[in-house]
Amino acid sequence: MILLDKSSCDLLRYLIQLETPETIMTISRSTEQSRRKIYYHLDKINDALPDDVSPIVSKPRVGILLNHQQKEACQTLLAEVASDSYIMSIDERIQLMIVYIAISSERVTIEKLMDLTDVSRNTVLNDLNDIRYRLAQEQYKVNLYATKSQGYFLQCHPLNKIQYVHSFLYDLFNEASPGFLNILREKLMVTLADEGLLSDQAQDFLLAEVSKRENDLGKKINRSEISLMLRILPYLLLSYQTMELSLEEVEDMQQKFAPVHQRIEYQVAQKISQSIQGQLAVELDEIGTCLIAILLLSYRKERDSHLTSQDFQDMAMIIDWFMASFEQTAQVRLVQKEELARRLLTHTKALLFRKNYGILSKNPLTKHIKQKYHSLFVEVKKAALILEEEWQISLNDDDLAYLTIHFGGYLEKEMDTLESSHLQQVYIICDEGVSIQKLLLRQCQKYLPPNSIQATFTTEQFKSVEDLLVADLLISTSDALETQFPLVQVQPILSYDDVVKLSHFLRHYELMTCRPHFEKRLEQLLGPHVTSPGIITQLSQEICSLFDEELLHLSHQGVTSEHTPV
């Protein structure tokens, strides 16, 4: 059975509604698809039509108009596409094929790819050519080859394959839709007959296992990062297990991974490997165990209790030099330097392992950081030359944005110009990590009364103490938080709209706090001129409401986009 993708179904719906013939050129313009794509989807539709229905063709100088039989068949075809089914786009189909080729231990043939993607042979061949082109654009020197004995496979140095697969999966799990990710996992589980590493049970087990081992590590991995790491790990292990390594390649990999053996993460990875074998019946060799250790080393940490070990004294000195250089070049003063130094050391330890083993870590806030804090970003970039020279690494914009976030939370706070306010009990709720929490705190302090922010929580922490709190305002980066308290939802990097929302709330809160006193004064002023007490109260309330509306309107107009929270 040939399954139609989203674009084919869109064309089918377009053709069904035509009342007069349209040429391929007209259809192309109306659907914003090239003529080549229109012909491609027409071929797919014709392949899917019953044998007793004449194919849909474009008549010269006339175009396409479905007859009654064709229209009924097309409507039946669309009806057969279940309302809850997921129709993959071309990009998604290619992504599915890449993952399958990367992790399949069996011979990958065109027929298997046809079954996997539910498309024709010609479509699979076109997709394979597209994959070759995409691989040629990558930095990892990975090539798609095919032989009679092996079928289709990725040819490259083993470490390059690990780096490419991690990079590919990192982007996939960050950007793909949940619907496609479910389809990808289900199709791979069926095709590979895998109920182990790819199952929901495996994910739950791995999360519980790594969380349990964090005490052994003496470190706390960022929650969003650990979730992403554990989604990638099963595919990474499967991709390694498909490699047929020569003795020389095994020795080369073991030599490259030798430094990992000295780290506590390797000991924890050994325990996790043993648990995987016992729970999931998947046996990992030395290199597979090292892959787990490398991920544990490379992903960002919230806390690290091993910063004072002798191994990292040189790194600590370079961090101090880096901070001093930043203060000097940026002409600013940092506060709580010891705490900042600890956080930078925790961050750069993982950074160095990522650089050494080519483990990608993208920063979703890089664009906002560069736009919102351009001058700060530039100053961090200048000072970071010290890190690049001393550690022989190259820092990209994502790396620099992370460092900028760290510094942004420890800049000396400017004198607050806000007038006093009754707003005193404000709490920030942010699950984006300690560094983002710190930076968000600095931004909010710019727009809220002095000392009004009482604490910063994660969602989990807040829920554990919510019953004990009295809050005037909650500021949350999550749109899923449910609470009885007043709530303003913002981005981790405050946008113009976020500042408007905070300003509106502050004005509204001040008005509500002062309103009883204001109404009383109005009633006193109106008393000599109005005899009826009921009318005095009504007029007082109406004047207050009008005043509220005008002030809120003015506060909206008064907020400009030229705010600089740090």
Side-chain angles (χ1 to χ4, degrees):
M1 177 184 176
I2 302 294
L3 287 184
L4 303 179
D5 62 19
K6 183 178 185 301
S7 297
S8 298
C9 288
D10 289 344
L11 176 61
L12 200 53
R13 294 186 185 94
Y14 183 86
L15 295 177
I16 289 173
Q17 58 84 36
L18 288 180
E19 298 294 336
T20 58
E22 285 192 8
T23 64
I24 295 293
M25 177 64 76
T26 302
I27 296 172
S28 171
R29 289 171 179 166
S30 299
T31 60
E32 297 183 346
Q33 295 272 355
S34 67
R35 285 181 294 173
R36 184 179 67 83
K37 287 290 186 184
I38 299 299
Y39 282 117
Y40 165 78
H41 292 302
L42 275 178
D43 287 341
K44 289 188 65 176
I45 292 170
N46 285 328
D47 287 342
L49 289 174
D51 294 337
D52 59 346
V53 176
S54 59
I56 301 170
V57 294
S58 177
K59 297 179 181 179
R61 295 182 298 278
V62 176
I64 296 176
L65 181 64
L66 303 184
N67 60 36
H68 180 71
Q69 184 188 34
Q70 288 172 329
K71 186 172 290 190
E72 281 192 345
C74 288
Q75 289 170 335
T76 302
L77 204 58
L78 280 176
E80 289 175 352
V81 179
S83 59
D84 60 347
S85 67
Y86 187 91
I87 302 174
M88 290 184 289
S89 67
I90 296 173
D91 278 343
E92 289 171 339
R93 189 175 66 240
I94 288 173
Q95 289 170 338
L96 172 60
M97 290 173 63
I98 290 174
V99 176
Y100 175 59
I101 293 170
I103 70 174
S104 177
S105 58
E106 298 181 353
R107 181 168 167 262
V108 178
T109 63
I110 289 179
E111 288 70 25
K112 288 181 179 178
L113 292 172
M114 290 170 62
D115 290 339
L116 177 73
T117 56
D118 299 307
V119 294
S120 67
R121 185 183 188 88
N122 284 339
T123 300
V124 168
L125 290 173
N126 288 334
D127 288 346
L128 289 169
N129 286 332
D130 198 337
I131 291 172
R132 289 189 180 93
Y133 174 78
R134 295 186 185 199
L135 290 174
Q137 311 306 308
E138 296 284 351
Q139 59 178 317
Y140 300 101
K141 300 179 181 178
V142 178
N143 296 298
L144 177 64
Y145 283 129
T147 64
K148 287 186 177 181
S149 60
Q150 292 179 271
Y152 287 89
F153 62 96
L154 300 180
Q155 177 64 39
C156 58
H157 186 280
L159 188 56
N160 282 32
K161 182 180 179 183
I162 290 169
Q163 292 170 344
Y164 168 71
V165 171
H166 181 276
S167 171
F168 183 84
L169 292 169
Y170 191 99
D171 287 340
L172 185 69
F173 286 119
N174 271 311
E175 299 170 6
S177 69
F180 171 61
L181 292 177
N182 288 333
I183 288 291
L184 178 138
R185 186 173 62 87
E186 290 170 6
K187 281 182 170 288
L188 291 175
M189 286 176 65
V190 171
T191 306
L192 300 173
D194 182 284
E195 293 292 338
L197 286 171
L198 299 183
S199 66
D200 286 333
Q201 292 76 13
Q203 277 293 298
D204 293 340
F205 161 73
L206 288 172
L207 179 58
E209 183 68 17
V210 172
S211 298
K212 181 174 69 176
R213 300 296 178 187
E214 280 188 315
N215 286 334
D216 298 336
L217 276 176
K219 304 173 185 181
K220 184 177 179 65
I221 303 174
N222 179 278
R223 294 297 93 183
S224 61
E225 294 254 313
I226 200 171
S227 175
L228 181 60
M229 181 186 84
L230 294 179
R231 296 180 79 181
I232 291 174
L233 178 60
Y235 296 90
L236 201 62
L237 292 175
L238 288 172
S239 72
Y240 162 66
Q241 291 176 341
T242 66
M243 299 181 193
E244 296 181 3
L245 303 180
S246 65
L247 182 60
E248 291 77 15
E249 287 174 328
V250 170
E251 291 176 349
D252 182 49
M253 292 278 283
Q254 289 177 339
Q255 183 178 359
K256 284 183 169 62
F257 290 164
V260 174
H261 292 186
Q262 310 304 316
R263 308 260 66 93
I264 193 172
E265 281 80 357
Y266 176 72
Q267 299 172 26
V268 172
Q270 286 180 310
K271 295 177 182 178
I272 294 174
S273 294
Q274 293 168 2
S275 297
I276 288 175
Q277 182 175 351
Q279 186 74 21
L280 304 178
V282 176
E283 187 173 354
L284 301 179
D285 62 10
E286 181 67 20
I287 295 176
T289 300
C290 284
L291 285 177
I292 297 177
I294 287 171
L295 292 187
L296 292 174
L297 284 161
S298 299
Y299 277 70
R300 294 184 298 121
K301 313 294 189 303
E302 299 289 352
R303 175 176 55 81
D304 188 343
S305 61
H306 303 288
L307 295 178
T308 58
S309 65
Q310 192 62 37
D311 294 354
F312 301 106
Q313 291 305 305
D314 290 343
M315 282 187 67
M317 292 175 61
I318 293 170
I319 291 295
D320 288 340
W321 184 13
F322 172 43
M323 291 168 55
S325 175
F326 171 78
E327 282 188 305
Q328 183 177 0
T329 58
Q331 293 294 298
V332 296
R333 181 174 173 271
L334 296 170
V335 298
Q336 298 176 290
K337 292 183 183 179
E338 290 185 5
E339 182 181 337
L340 174 58
R342 286 197 302 272
R343 296 204 180 282
L344 286 173
L345 185 53
T346 299
H347 179 80
T348 53
K349 279 175 63 178
L351 170 67
L352 283 180
F353 279 102
R354 287 200 299 273
K355 292 297 179 181
N356 288 337
Y357 291 104
I359 301 299
L360 178 72
S361 178
K362 290 189 177 180
N363 187 340
L365 298 175
T366 296
K367 181 179 179 181
H368 298 288
I369 292 291
K370 291 178 68 176
Q371 290 176 346
K372 195 78 173 285
Y373 305 112
H374 178 70
S375 59
L376 181 60
F377 180 88
V378 170
E379 296 302 333
V380 170
K381 185 174 184 178
K382 291 177 186 176
L385 290 174
I386 291 172
L387 306 184
E388 293 183 317
E389 292 171 1
E390 292 296 318
W391 293 334
Q392 295 297 295
I393 58 174
S394 177
L395 298 176
N396 57 35
D397 283 357
D398 290 324
D399 302 323
L400 294 168
Y402 275 126
L403 295 174
T404 302
I405 289 170
H406 280 287
F407 278 109
Y410 290 87
L411 292 175
E412 185 176 38
K413 188 174 180 290
E414 298 175 4
M415 291 298 293
D416 204 306
T417 57
L418 287 173
E419 296 180 1
S420 61
S421 168
H422 294 86
L423 191 70
Q424 293 297 326
Q425 303 293 326
V426 180
Y427 297 92
I428 295 174
I429 302 160
C430 175
D431 296 323
E432 312 298 326
V434 175
S435 299
I436 297 293
Q437 286 180 348
K438 193 81 175 179
L439 183 58
L440 180 57
L441 171 64
R442 289 290 178 182
Q443 294 175 85
C444 292
Q445 285 173 333
K446 180 75 176 180
Y447 300 104
L448 297 176
N451 304 316
S452 60
I453 301 174
Q454 302 301 312
T456 303
F457 297 121
T458 63
T459 300
E460 183 180 357
Q461 291 169 339
F462 170 72
K463 284 300 180 182
S464 70
V465 298
E466 183 176 12
D467 293 342
L468 306 176
L469 294 178
V470 175
D472 298 326
L473 171 65
L474 301 180
I475 300 172
S476 174
T477 57
S478 169
D479 59 0
L481 182 67
E482 296 183 0
T483 179
Q484 60 179 339
F485 297 120
L487 174 68
V488 172
Q489 194 259 323
V490 300
Q491 301 299 316
I493 305 299
L494 293 182
S495 67
Y496 168 70
D497 289 338
D498 294 333
V499 175
V500 169
K501 285 190 285 187
L502 287 175
S503 298
H504 277 194
F505 181 87
L506 186 61
R507 295 294 185 192
H508 179 73
Y509 187 89
E510 289 174 341
L511 286 171
M512 292 303 100
T513 304
C514 299
R515 183 163 179 164
H517 174 72
F518 188 61
E519 285 186 2
K520 187 175 181 181
R521 287 284 297 130
L522 270 178
E523 290 175 1
Q524 292 173 347
L525 291 172
L526 291 170
H529 307 286
V530 181
T531 56
S532 170
I535 295 177
I536 290 176
T537 301
Q538 182 180 352
L539 282 173
S540 176
Q541 291 175 347
E542 289 177 354
I543 291 171
C544 283
S545 296
L546 178 62
F547 191 61
D548 290 351
E549 291 174 6
E550 288 301 313
L551 274 184
L552 287 175
H553 177 68
L554 288 173
S555 72
H556 190 173
Q557 291 182 327
V559 178
T560 70
S561 60
E562 298 177 354
H563 55 280
T564 53
V566 175

